[in-house]
Each structure stands twice: as structure tokens, then as C-alpha cells.
């Protein structure tokens, strides 16, 4: 297995240990193919963080209305679960060689 595949997949799997730091470090220290995966992984890690911030702002604006609270929590859970699974799928595809490095 190529080290490029391992490093690229670790960018996606970094959701477990360093979601923002690892892809940024890899982006600045790697070549073009790995750099694309690092950038993709970073954006995939940022989307759930942005939804949490958006939900928090929605809750503050709504003065913790019960309907808005339920909707915000459900939205954050669904979006975070989707992107968590997406990271796993992309990491496995890179390891299998299905995705270009």
C-alpha cells in the first residue's frame, strides 16, 4: 500500500483524533495529490462545526423556544452523523485505491 494512500486516508480518519489540525499540517507539508485530500477532509470536518455554531445562534435568537431547540438539536445530530460517516467512507475508499491520490 502506498504511503500516499495512508496519509490521505488519515486526513479523513483524523475526525477521531485531530479533526482540524492534522489536515492543515498535511496540507502544508505534502504534495498535490495528498493536498487535495487534506483540503477535502478539512472542509468535511468544518461543516459540522459550522452547523453547531449556527444551531447555537438560532437557539440564542429564539430565546430557547422548545420547538426551535428540538429542531436545532435534531439538525445538528443528523448533519454530524452524515459527515462522520462520510469521513469513514472516504477514508476507506482512499485506502482501497478507489479514489485518486
Amino acid at each position: 500500500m502506498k504511503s500516499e494512500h495512508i496519509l490521505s486516508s488519515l486526513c479523513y480518519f483524523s475526525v477521531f483524533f485531530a479533526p482540524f489540525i492534522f489536515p492543515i499540517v498535511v496540507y502544508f507539508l505534502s504534495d498535490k495529490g495528498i493536498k487535495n485530500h487534506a483540503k477535502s477532509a478539512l472542509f468535511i470536518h468544518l461543516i459540522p462545526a459550522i452547523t453547531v455554531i449556527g444551531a447555537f445562534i438560532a437557539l440564542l435568537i429564539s430565546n430557547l423556544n422548545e420547538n426551535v431547540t428540538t429542531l436545532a438539536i435534531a439538525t445538528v445530530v443528523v448533519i454530524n452523523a452524515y459527515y462522520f460517516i462520510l469521513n469513514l467512507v472516504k477514508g476507506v475508499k482512499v485506502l482501497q485505491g478507489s479514489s485518486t491520490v
Side-chain angles (χ1 to χ4, degrees):
M1 185 172 299
K2 292 183 178 179
S3 62
E4 293 88 12
H5 288 125
I6 294 171
L7 193 55
S8 295
S9 68
L10 279 175
C11 288
Y12 295 109
F13 293 145
S14 70
V15 71
F16 292 113
F17 56 89
F20 303 112
I21 295 172
F22 190 78
I24 290 172
V25 169
V26 170
Y27 181 80
F28 287 114
L29 298 177
S30 64
D31 62 349
K32 186 178 179 185
I34 300 171
K35 195 174 277 203
N36 291 337
H37 285 287
K39 184 170 51 173
S40 174
L42 179 63
F43 286 126
I44 292 173
H45 295 335
L46 282 175
I47 292 170
I50 292 169
T51 59
V52 169
I53 293 169
F56 183 72
I57 292 170
L59 291 175
L60 289 178
I61 291 172
S62 70
N63 293 325
L64 298 174
N65 183 346
E66 185 177 329
N67 292 333
V68 175
T69 303
T70 305
L71 180 63
I73 291 172
T75 303
V76 167
V77 167
V78 168
I79 290 173
N80 286 345
Y82 172 77
Y83 282 103
F84 183 79
I85 293 169
L86 181 65
N87 275 306
L88 297 178
V89 168
K90 284 185 158 277
V92 169
K93 280 186 177 182
V94 170
L95 280 178
Q96 291 176 341
S98 301
S99 184
T100 59
V101 175

